[in-house]
Amino acid sequence: MTPLTPLGSPRSGVDSGNGGTRAGTLVQDPEAGYARAAVSTVETSIIVPTRNEELGIGSLLEGLFETAPPQASYEVVLVDDSDDSTVERAEAYALVGRPVVLAHRAPGSRTGGLSGAVVEGFRRSTGEVLVVMDADFQHPPQLAWQLAAAARVGLADVVVASRYGPGGSSGGQSGLGRVAVSELTRHAARAVLPRVRRVRDPLSGFFALRREVLTGGIEPSGGFKILLDVLALGRWSTAVEVPFTLAPRRMGSSKAGVGEGIAYLRQLRRLARLGAGR
C-alpha cells in the first residue's frame, strides 16, 4: 500500500474559460501512464472511483455539471479501474474542455482497492475541498455540492452524508442481510475506535473534507472504507453529518464481497494497533 504523504502545492494548467471551472486538453503523465486534463487550482474536487461504469458514467457527469452552482470552480476526478469502455466515455468530456481529470489504472496497478483509488484521486486533485462519492447513483449529485459548500465555508473539517440519525435512511440498501452487515460493521468501528464515535456513519462512502485533513500522512488500509482511515488518522477537529437517503442502485452491482469483509476486519485491526482515534 502506498502512503498518502502530505500534499504539496496544486498543479498549474490551462483555464478553459468555462465559468469557474478550470479544464484543458487531455495530456499524458509519462511517469504514471495516466491520461488527465491539465488544470489549475480549483475550489472543489469531486473524486469518483469507477469500475465498469460505462452505462452510467455519462449520466453521472451530466448530473454533476447540471447541478453545479453558478460560477463554481471545480473539477471531477475519475480514478478508473475498469475493463470496459468507461475510460473512453469519460475521456470524451475532457477532450471537449469539460472539467474532468481522468486517471485510468491498468490491471496490475490497482493497488489498495477502492480506498487506493480514492487516495490516487486525492493525489491527482487540486481542490481546497475534496468530495468523495460513488458512481452508481446511490449518491445524489446535487448533495455533493451541499457537502462541498459546508466544508468550504468552514462549517466543519469533515462533512459526512449520513444514513443514520434524524432524516437519514439506508433504504436503498438491498436485502436484510446487507442492512444487518452494515449495522454490524458500523457498530464495530465505533466500538474499536473511540474517536470515530463522534460520527454516526463512519463507513459512509459519501463525504467532503478540507485538504488540510490529509496533511501528516494517511496510509489507506486497502478496503472499501476510506472514510474510516480519514477519521482515524486525519487531522480534523470538527465533523458534521448531513442526512441523506441512500438511493437504490441504478447501474452496476455491488463490488463488496467476502474478500472486502476480510479486508475491513484487517483495517480495524490495523487502526486499533496504531491506537488511531483514541
Side-chain angles (χ1 to χ4, degrees):
M1 294 179 292
T2 303
L4 176 59
T5 53
L7 297 168
S9 59
R11 301 186 301 268
S12 61
V14 180
D15 191 335
S16 70
N18 181 17
T21 64
R22 275 87 171 164
T25 58
L26 238 75
V27 298
Q28 189 73 21
D29 183 334
E31 293 183 0
Y34 292 140
R36 63 176 174 83
V39 293
S40 302
T41 304
V42 295
E43 289 182 350
T44 303
S45 297
I46 298 180
I47 297 165
V48 187
T50 57
R51 182 171 175 80
N52 298 335
E53 309 287 354
E54 63 182 0
L55 296 180
I57 191 61
S59 296
L60 175 68
L61 290 172
E62 293 290 351
L64 288 169
F65 299 152
E66 290 170 4
T67 57
Q71 303 302 312
S73 170
Y74 71 99
E75 62 186 358
V76 181
V77 182
L78 301 180
V79 182
D80 182 62
D81 288 355
S82 299
D83 301 310
D84 62 7
S85 64
T86 300
V87 65
E88 289 81 8
R89 298 190 182 205
E91 278 179 347
Y93 288 90
L95 287 169
V96 296
R98 302 310 293 266
V100 175
V101 178
L102 179 62
H104 176 69
R105 305 198 304 173
S109 64
R110 297 168 182 172
T111 56
L114 182 64
S115 63
V118 173
V119 169
E120 185 63 40
F122 289 159
R123 293 182 185 282
R124 296 276 163 177
S125 67
T126 69
E128 295 305 313
V129 170
L130 312 175
V131 179
V132 176
M133 66 182 297
D134 289 344
D136 56 12
F137 295 93
Q138 290 193 294
H139 300 161
Q142 63 271 25
L143 184 56
W145 301 111
Q146 296 178 35
L147 301 180
R152 189 172 61 253
V153 301
L155 185 61
D157 299 321
V158 181
V159 184
V160 179
S162 178
R163 300 162 290 178
Y164 302 100
S169 171
S170 57
Q173 215 158 23
S174 59
L176 292 177
R178 291 191 63 81
V179 173
V181 169
S182 179
E183 281 289 321
L184 179 61
T185 54
R186 179 173 74 97
H187 287 298
R190 299 181 81 214
V192 172
L193 304 169
R195 189 184 186 199
V196 169
R197 293 173 192 166
R198 296 165 60 184
V199 176
R200 291 191 185 96
D201 195 356
L203 305 182
S204 176
F206 194 14
F207 59 93
L209 66 153
R210 298 184 63 81
R211 183 172 289 275
E212 308 89 81
V213 172
L214 301 177
T215 58
I218 293 175
E219 182 179 341
S221 299
F224 269 40
K225 307 304 179 183
I226 187 64
L227 177 58
L228 195 59
D229 289 317
V230 169
L231 292 175
L233 301 174
R235 292 187 176 179
W236 62 278
S237 58
T238 56
V240 297
E241 298 186 74
V242 176
F244 95 111
T245 297
L246 185 71
R249 190 184 304 275
R250 284 173 48 190
M251 300 284 182
S253 58
S254 173
K255 312 302 189 294
V258 173
E260 293 304 328
I262 294 172
Y264 173 69
L265 293 176
R266 289 174 176 165
Q267 179 181 15
L268 277 186
R269 183 177 65 182
R270 170 182 169 271
L271 292 175
R273 186 172 66 246
L274 290 173
R278 299 187 183 279

